[in-house]
Amino acid sequence: MLRVIPTLFILSPWAFSNAQAGSVYLGYSQTEQLSVAGNRSLNFEPNGNVALFSFDLNDHLSLTFDYAALADSVSITNNISGKLDIKSWGIGASYYWAAWSFSANYSSWQDDLIIPSPNTEQTLFTQRSESPSSTISLAYNWDLTAWQLGFMAGIHYGDWRQYQEVINRETQAEQSSLNGGNSSFVSVQILMARLITVGGREDLMLGASLGWNQLTSSGSAAIARNGRNVSQIKNRSAANRLSASVVTGTESYGQLNLYASYNLNDDWLVDLDLNFDLGSEDDTQAWSVNIGYLF
């Protein structure tokens, strides 16, 4: 299974509370992606810039928007390299009532894999993958002074489409295909964070979460080959996830997230996020370093 995980802000403070009016995070992220081009498997480690904006409309309602632009290239032969470019964004809303919170999120993902022909402007292989996904979740949080605990359950649905174009180097014949599919998940997650006093102030937060995403349905089909409709083919996947709130893929899997945040002062902080997939065919990991401003 292909899984793509540029991870952002896994256990940020607003996962438990909406105390601040708003926040802006800018950072750098690296993840892993296995892509297949013909009979070759390419192991990419795309990296690049990430951003998140969160704003409280009132004491009960908050909005978030995130964006990532990642890229990488790997050598296939001495003079041929595969290039991967990823763009993704997401938008979400959360409603808080006492210890409860309800969230809805939408994420859009696109990646382009290109293998250029050496010494020419022609491309040997082009692949574009697009995958929008939606999530609704319900969470309950316990505030135990220094400790914060949470439980979250969610429903996730995603579509994907993948277009390929291949050029035969010897005959220059062009072949194309268009594949599509969808999947849905039910997930549960336990979250925990600890506030630690440093220099007389609670400036350090350490957090972790452990969850399981159960695949409830999955399907895929080859929509067209060389412009002609074809019958259904075996399952394929084009997984993506921008944040811990979005789950996609074509098999059940677990997630382990680790988080550390340090307040530089009342307005600025830095954080480190780590993410690991567990129990899937192709386990991946990702990390992100960010600087945030609270207002």
Side-chain angles (χ1 to χ4, degrees):
M1 184 192 67
L2 170 64
R3 188 173 306 287
V4 183
I5 312 178
T7 304
L8 293 180
F9 325 115
I10 296 167
L11 276 179
S12 298
W14 65 76
F16 298 96
S17 171
N18 60 338
Q20 76 275 0
S23 56
V24 176
Y25 281 73
L26 299 175
Y28 179 88
S29 181
Q30 179 174 302
T31 184
E32 298 175 348
Q33 175 166 332
L34 173 64
S35 297
V36 178
N39 59 355
R40 294 180 179 272
S41 296
L42 306 178
N43 293 293
F44 289 99
E45 294 185 354
N47 57 82
N49 299 321
V50 294
L52 182 142
F53 172 78
S54 175
F55 183 74
D56 292 341
L57 298 179
N58 52 48
D59 291 340
H60 300 285
L61 184 62
S62 67
L63 301 177
T64 60
F65 176 81
D66 49 41
Y67 176 80
L70 312 177
D72 190 26
S73 62
V74 296
S75 177
I76 300 175
T77 65
N78 290 335
N79 58 353
I80 299 179
S81 296
K83 300 179 180 179
L84 180 69
D85 184 69
I86 298 173
K87 297 289 189 300
S88 62
W89 61 269
I91 188 170
S94 296
Y95 180 82
Y96 301 89
W97 180 74
W100 293 91
S101 62
F102 174 82
S103 300
N105 299 273
Y106 175 85
S107 176
S108 177
W109 173 280
Q110 176 180 302
D111 70 58
D112 292 287
L113 171 59
I114 297 175
I115 301 177
S117 177
N119 305 319
T120 70
E121 296 182 356
Q122 189 180 40
T123 59
L124 299 176
F125 181 89
T126 301
Q127 175 179 281
R128 168 165 290 188
S129 301
E130 299 176 346
S131 180
S133 56
S134 303
T135 298
I136 57 173
S137 60
L138 183 66
Y140 187 87
N141 304 312
W142 293 268
D143 190 350
L144 307 176
T145 309
W147 285 93
Q148 294 176 312
L149 304 177
F151 175 81
M152 181 182 297
I155 300 173
H156 315 263
Y157 178 82
D159 288 311
W160 63 270
R161 217 170 242 221
Q162 189 174 78
Y163 174 78
Q164 291 184 355
E165 186 176 282
V166 183
I167 303 296
N168 188 302
R169 296 181 64 182
E170 296 180 356
T171 65
Q172 298 300 303
E174 178 181 311
Q175 295 181 329
S176 64
S177 64
L178 178 62
N179 304 314
N182 59 76
S183 60
S184 59
F185 288 83
V186 173
S187 66
V188 293
Q189 191 175 38
I190 299 174
L191 307 96
M192 177 178 61
R194 175 74 161 90
L195 294 172
I196 299 176
T197 300
V198 179
R201 296 178 51 182
E202 291 183 335
D203 287 333
L204 178 64
M205 174 181 281
L206 301 178
S209 71
L210 182 64
W212 182 257
N213 307 302
Q214 182 65 39
L215 180 69
T216 56
S217 68
S218 178
S220 64
I223 300 172
R225 289 288 171 84
N226 293 320
R228 294 178 295 177
N229 294 336
V230 298
S231 59
Q232 185 168 331
I233 60 174
K234 64 181 182 179
N235 281 356
R236 299 167 182 258
S237 66
N240 75 83
R241 185 168 62 81
L242 179 61
S243 67
S245 62
V246 179
V247 173
T248 58
T250 56
E251 66 173 344
S252 302
Y253 67 102
Q255 293 171 277
L256 172 63
N257 302 319
L258 303 176
Y259 170 86
S261 175
Y262 182 75
N263 293 329
L264 301 175
N265 52 44
D266 291 339
D267 300 321
W268 293 91
L269 59 86
V270 293
D271 70 42
L272 170 65
D273 299 321
L274 304 174
N275 181 90
F276 305 89
D277 270 4
L278 306 172
S280 65
E281 181 180 345
D282 297 308
D283 291 343
T284 57
Q285 60 186 26
W287 59 268
S288 178
V289 177
N290 315 283
I291 183 167
Y293 177 74
L294 310 179
F295 57 90

